[in-house]
Amino acid sequence: MKSELAEMALDQKRTMLVDDDVPETVPVPHALVPHLDETAILLDIDGTLLDLMPTPREVWVPPGLSETLKQLVERTSGALALVSGRSLNDIDLIFAPDVYRAVAGHGAEMRLSADNEADDVHAPPLDKELKRRLAAIAKLSPGILLEDKGYSLALHYRLAPHAEKAIFEAVSLIRADLPNAPIEVLPGKFVCEIKHSGFTKATGVRELMQHEPFRGRRPLFIGDDVTDETVFAIMPDMNGLAFSVGRRAMGVNGHFDAPSDVRAFLARLLDPR
């Protein structure tokens, strides 16, 4: 059972589905988004807006990006939000002193106004004993980094890629011991995150789009990881557009090769020419 659960988790992580109909290049920005005042811009952070780094704490905001985001907030009348697995606190630290509307923690937290700390928290803290058992997995190998978000716990292994299978097997064993625990495993890029079930980035985006200034607008979402696929999947329901980064994900309207291409695309949206 342990091996079977672990393989299922790893299969989910490795399944980077490709749609042959996905365009090889992203369309011209103004053809894609002719009216920013009718558009909601939704952006993942790590691997999408910002380049991935060996550890989560090492990411940084490149020159020019803050000004681009500020202008897009103005041009969309505030309808720009960051959609991330990071906590609101983490997001604010990265982009300080700027503060953005956000769906954080894979939908666990939400900020509808840049003036508020948080408008809603959808998840209770993980059970202390469960967190203790999960945290012990970090001792499997040097280089495994533990991140405690309260409502979830992430095991980052970019510095210990050889430990991937052992991490997922250990998590699967804990899940097998607690079959009724309301938890979900999120495999990502060199990370295994365990969170409460019942909320995702997609549930957060659906709720976000019911509020001003997002309500009634056409969403444009850009993401890179497996956890972003839930948002890719709901974009057609909202007449929205979805773009993946680094790979051609199934169901998207196109893709970018790297975060630098995403940043250049966003900057071009502001070009009056």
Side-chain angles (χ1 to χ4, degrees), residues 7-18:
E7 286 302 319
M8 288 174 63
L10 288 171
D11 285 344
Q12 180 186 358
K13 176 182 180 295
R14 293 167 180 153
T15 301
M16 300 298 190
L17 298 176
V18 174

Side-chain angles (χ1 to χ4, degrees), residues 36-37 72-80 101 213 217:
L36 284 177
D37 58 352
L72 285 171
V73 168
E74 182 178 348
R75 291 279 298 277
T76 60
S77 300
L80 180 146
R101 292 172 171 85
R217 289 173 176 257

Side-chain angles (χ1 to χ4, degrees), residues 120-188:
D120 205 355
V121 178
H122 295 274
L126 281 178
D127 177 78
K128 288 183 179 180
E129 176 60 19
L130 173 61
K131 286 171 67 174
R132 186 191 65 78
R133 292 184 63 182
L134 292 169
I137 297 173
K139 298 178 182 179
L140 287 174
S141 173
I144 301 176
L145 303 180
L146 182 68
E147 182 183 10
D148 185 355
K149 303 178 186 179
Y151 46 77
S152 72
L153 191 144
L155 295 158
H156 299 272
Y157 53 92
R158 185 171 293 275
L159 298 178
H162 59 277
E164 178 182 63
K165 185 174 182 181
I167 290 170
F168 280 93
E169 286 184 343
V171 171
S172 296
L173 180 61
I174 294 172
R175 289 190 71 191
D177 286 344
L178 303 168
N180 297 321
I183 57 174
E184 177 183 1
V185 178
L186 293 179

Side-chain angles (χ1 to χ4, degrees), residues 223-236:
D224 74 303
D225 211 344
V226 175
T227 57
D228 296 311
E229 292 179 356
T230 61
V231 186
F232 295 156
I234 66 171
M235 285 296 102

Side-chain angles (χ1 to χ4, degrees), residues 20-40:
D20 290 336
D21 294 330
V22 172
E24 287 293 341
T25 57
V26 174
V28 177
H30 284 285
L32 182 65
V33 189
H35 303 293
L36 284 177
D37 58 352
E38 299 174 359
T39 303

Side-chain angles (χ1 to χ4, degrees), residues 141-263:
S141 173
I144 301 176
L145 303 180
L146 182 68
E147 182 183 10
D148 185 355
K149 303 178 186 179
Y151 46 77
S152 72
L153 191 144
L155 295 158
H156 299 272
Y157 53 92
R158 185 171 293 275
L159 298 178
H162 59 277
E164 178 182 63
K165 185 174 182 181
I167 290 170
F168 280 93
E169 286 184 343
V171 171
S172 296
L173 180 61
I174 294 172
R175 289 190 71 191
D177 286 344
L178 303 168
N180 297 321
I183 57 174
E184 177 183 1
V185 178
L186 293 179
K189 290 181 178 178
F190 296 101
V191 63
C192 175
E193 185 162 355
I194 302 90
K195 70 173 187 65
H196 273 282
S197 57
F199 61 91
T200 63
K201 286 186 177 182
T203 61
V205 166
R206 283 193 184 277
E207 181 172 344
L208 179 78
M209 294 300 298
Q210 295 175 13
H211 297 272
E212 296 294 343
F214 301 93
R215 182 188 292 128
R217 289 173 176 257
R218 187 185 197 191
L220 183 156
F221 175 70
I222 307 176
D224 74 303
D225 211 344
V226 175
T227 57
D228 296 311
E229 292 179 356
T230 61
V231 186
F232 295 156
I234 66 171
M235 285 296 102
D237 299 341
M238 304 178 181
N239 190 33
L241 298 167
F243 294 89
S244 57
V245 183
R247 63 188 178 95
R248 298 172 59 212
M250 179 172 286
V252 298
N253 298 90
H255 78 285
F256 298 92
D257 289 331
S260 58
D261 299 313
V262 175
R263 296 192 293 267

